[in-house]
Amino acid sequence: MPADLPAYLQIAAELRCRIVAGELAPGAKLPSESRLMAMFGVSNTVTKRAIAVLKAEGLVEGRHGSGVYVRHVRRLVRDSQGRDQRRRQGPTSPFARDVTASGQRPSWEHDSAEVGCPDAIAARLGVEPGEPVLRTRYRYLADGGPIQLATSYEPLSITRGTPVELPEDGAAVGVVARMDVIGVRIDECVEEIIARAAHPDEIERLGLPSGGALMMVVERTYLAGGRAVETADIVMAADRYQLRYRWPVE
């Protein structure tokens, strides 16, 4: 750990490691502020700031008159295995299958609009900046609580005038099934994952701690014969999701 790292971040990092390693299990009580002061030789102000960092990350919660405890977090598993295999496509989206498998009720909100393709998205889709695309914004919920955001982009040169132009208005559910309807056979999916701090609108829409939170962002692109037909930014709070990837070894 860098020696010049502020003391409160060093304390937060050590406690975080103990939580992640399971030494401080869900429901476990953190050492008191006075105990942390003695352990690390710091002031009460420093220990309070360290605890505030962990609270902002959603790792711990304060209980009035009792102390600070490791949170019980029910994580949703986003399992890649069979996620887009056609034999497993049904009348539900991959998100709905993930949520249902966790014993919760899936739902989502959405709005679609035609926009000029932003530069960064144009590079992912292989189109010219400003080309017409359909942008759809989603907020996904599990048992009524917001858990994931996504913004998808589809070139209207592919879908305009077809039964699947609007992602949520047809009988087919999910990008793979929708493209199959119009004879565009998706044969590849690329995902790149980054971690970053939550943006203010994400804090509001997902009901995150006001001090911020760590987010996982999946940049997903579907391709058909090497041509990108859809790309999306899928945004999840790191404490609410587990990503699981499995593939055959040949």
Side-chain angles (χ1 to χ4, degrees):
M1 188 177 301
D4 59 349
L5 195 67
Y8 78 96
L9 291 179
Q10 294 186 41
I11 297 169
E14 181 162 330
L15 293 173
R16 186 187 301 110
C17 287
R18 293 180 63 188
I19 292 170
V20 172
E23 295 177 27
L24 288 169
K29 185 177 181 179
L30 264 61
S32 65
E33 290 184 8
S34 59
R35 176 62 179 153
L36 290 173
M37 291 167 60
M39 289 170 59
F40 295 98
V42 296
S43 69
N44 178 256
T45 300
V46 173
T47 60
K48 285 183 179 297
R49 291 186 70 184
I51 296 301
V53 169
L54 299 178
K55 286 181 177 178
E57 293 175 354
L59 293 174
V60 302
E61 61 185 358
R63 299 179 187 172
H64 184 68
S66 178
V68 179
Y69 294 80
V70 179
R71 288 183 62 208
H72 289 274
V73 178
R74 186 178 187 181
R75 293 178 182 267
L76 181 65
V77 177
R78 184 178 187 271
D79 197 337
S80 68
Q81 184 69 16
R83 188 172 186 82
D84 294 305
Q85 292 179 9
R86 286 175 173 81
R87 62 183 175 81
R88 294 185 58 179
Q89 289 292 326
T92 59
S93 71
F95 169 81
R97 293 197 295 272
D98 288 342
V99 174
T100 301
S102 75
Q104 301 178 79
R105 176 178 51 84
S107 60
W108 55 89
E109 305 160 352
H110 63 91
D111 66 86
S112 297
E114 179 177 333
V115 300
C117 192
D119 290 2
I121 298 301
R124 285 158 56 176
L125 288 174
V127 302
E128 291 297 320
E131 179 174 317
V133 294
L134 191 76
R135 181 193 65 201
T136 304
R137 293 172 172 164
Y138 294 91
R139 186 170 76 145
Y140 294 93
L141 304 97
D143 280 348
I147 191 170
Q148 174 182 297
L149 303 174
T151 304
S152 73
Y153 298 86
E154 297 178 356
L156 281 165
S157 59
I158 296 174
T159 59
R160 192 187 295 280
T162 72
V164 300
E165 180 175 340
L166 294 175
E168 299 297 324
D169 282 6
V173 181
V175 181
V176 174
R178 290 176 49 246
M179 292 296 169
D180 279 348
V181 168
I182 59 174
V184 177
R185 186 173 179 82
I186 291 173
D187 53 19
E188 187 177 6
C189 178
V190 178
E191 291 191 344
E192 298 184 11
I193 303 169
I194 62 172
R196 59 163 172 76
H199 296 162
D201 67 307
E202 294 164 352
I203 292 173
E204 179 180 357
R205 295 179 70 198
L206 290 175
L208 302 175
S210 59
L214 181 65
M215 311 301 289
M216 293 187 293
V217 181
V218 179
E219 296 182 356
R220 182 199 68 203
T221 302
Y222 284 116
L223 301 102
R227 179 187 183 185
V229 299
E230 188 262 11
T231 194
D233 289 331
I234 304 166
V235 182
M236 301 163 280
D239 69 320
R240 301 182 186 181
Y241 258 92
Q242 175 182 332
L243 306 184
R244 179 183 297 158
Y245 289 89
R246 295 181 288 174
W247 58 88
V249 176
E250 298 178 353

